[in-house]
Amino acid sequence: MEEVQRHSVHTLIFRSLKRTHDMFVSNQGALPEIDDKLEKIRKSIKARDSYSLVFDRVARAESNRKCVEIANNGRKNSLSNPEKVLYITNGQDNPINVNTNTAIMAADTINKNNFDIPSSTAMVAMSGIRPSVNSTSNVQLIPKKAPTIPKPAWHAPWKLARVISGHLGWVRCIAVEPQNEWFATGAGDRVIKIWDLASGKLKLSLTGHVSTVRGLAVSTKHPYLFSCGEDRQVKCWDLEYNKVIRHYHGHLSAVYSMALHPTIDVLATSGRDSTARIWDMRTKANIHTLTGHTNTVASVVAQAVNPQIITGSHDSTIRLWDLAAGKSVCTLTNHKKSVRSIVLHPTLYMFASASPDNIKQWRCPEGNFIQNISGHNAIVNCMAVNADGVLVSGGDNGTMFFWDWRTGYNFQRFQAPLQPGSMDSEAGIFAMAFDQSGSRLITAEADKTIKIYKEDEEASEETHPVNWRPEILKRRKF
């Protein structure tokens, strides 16, 4: 077998260039000769297209220069002919001495150069010479200001108010009742517990799931609690009788998230079978199966206006769905890693999505990208936002970041305190939710506890100032 001769990169590149030259050198002679007239026309068209806004400015500046020279020459001549002097003001109440012959020439020059001075009055005293705006130059070339980053609003820091223990496994989901009297949690111990929000005391335990409970939702119109879990079951609980009254069968694997539509009686669920399903709450019928994601659908949210259903998946995409047609109308591919959480703003027509690369904000209904919120360098499992514009993100390592929604400014961050006796590896936040007033933040954590946070009432702008440095707050948009 012959040994292959190796050449330097320089030699290979030179050979490639030579082959290319030999291939196309014969075509050079077939090109037509350059027509000078056509070339001038082409350049003039290109120049007019690019610089038409400033063409007349060059001519105007030249005419102004000539007028000044004529006026200066007239002033010199007037010293020798003082009887032929007119006074023309230059707009600053400083008369310029101009010889009569020179003044006539200057007036003709001014009229020819589009100055707004009538020829019949060119010889009389004027308050100023002002150029008329030409029809081709009505767009002023005003320098653009550098984009400014708005100053974030001041938010009080948050502090731990209560720790609730009672579950025997990781606490995975939270739902707050619409009347703000109680909240429900689901955990790895397969039990749904209902807690009094004011006192933190256990009111009720619901058993029925045979695996981890991963999602909860409370109806605003009916006394119903909905739950889903890793046992592929979706249940409807009647809270007047504290028992299951409906099952929704159809998911092929674990169900991770659920959401109730705010105005119509439908339920949205999503899970590990890469689908989101829409259910009729009363008849248990599977209305739509929303397919398109290629990996686990970790989060689903519902709102009353389009897009009524939004899903986030481990395939790094977000999909906006047409609920009537049951089809995806838009796919957002800006994230580079799994999207584990989506949260809707309670008052603005916007939503945020969380991934280990960034938290991103979007505007509905088209899903227009607004800004990146960078800095939470962890697997972000959950988010929550209240009407005051406080966005909170919880990480898999127990870190909590508090952001100003409008500017993305991080005004507080800390590590959630571990329950005594827990391992460091159990510092994880799986779910969080604000209560209906937005003044209490409830978190579900891996140390089997539920923590309630509230704003520090003693804090003020003087004690906790906004450390706002716009030169380092750079938004990356892509």
Side-chain angles (χ1 to χ4, degrees), residues 1 9 55-56 65 73 79-80 161 228 239 301 305 333 356 366 381 385 394 405 409 420 439 445:
M1 185 176 179
V9 176
F55 269 167
D56 62 322
R65 186 181 62 79
N73 292 334
L79 296 176
S80 58
C228 62
L239 296 177
V301 293
V305 291
T333 60
E366 289 88 5
N381 285 326
V385 61
W405 175 275
Y409 169 71
S439 61
E445 306 195 8

Side-chain angles (χ1 to χ4, degrees), residues 59 63 67 104-115 117 119:
S63 64
C67 287
I104 294 171
M105 294 173 58
D108 291 338
T109 307
I110 290 169
N111 286 329
K112 289 178 182 178
N113 287 282
N114 294 327
F115 281 83
I117 302 170
S119 58

Side-chain angles (χ1 to χ4, degrees), residues 19 41 50 107 120 128 130 134 190 194 200 204 212-213 232 272 291 294 301 311 341 346 359 387 474:
R19 283 195 296 269
I41 293 174
S50 301
S120 60
R130 58 183 181 85
N134 200 349
R190 310 181 297 279
I194 294 177
L204 184 67
T212 302
V213 182
R232 298 179 292 179
R272 206 164 61 194
T291 58
T294 59
V301 293
T311 56
S341 178
I359 298 170
K474 295 181 180 179

Side-chain angles (χ1 to χ4, degrees), residues 276-315:
R277 294 175 186 265
I278 309 298
W279 311 88
D280 187 316
M281 188 188 298
R282 296 161 296 182
T283 65
K284 302 180 287 184
N286 188 183
I287 302 170
H288 294 303
T289 300
L290 307 179
T291 58
H293 285 294
T294 59
N295 207 329
T296 298
V297 184
S299 181
V300 60
V301 293
Q303 59 182 356
V305 291
N306 291 328
Q308 298 185 49
I309 301 294
I310 306 172
T311 56
S313 170
H314 287 337
D315 63 7

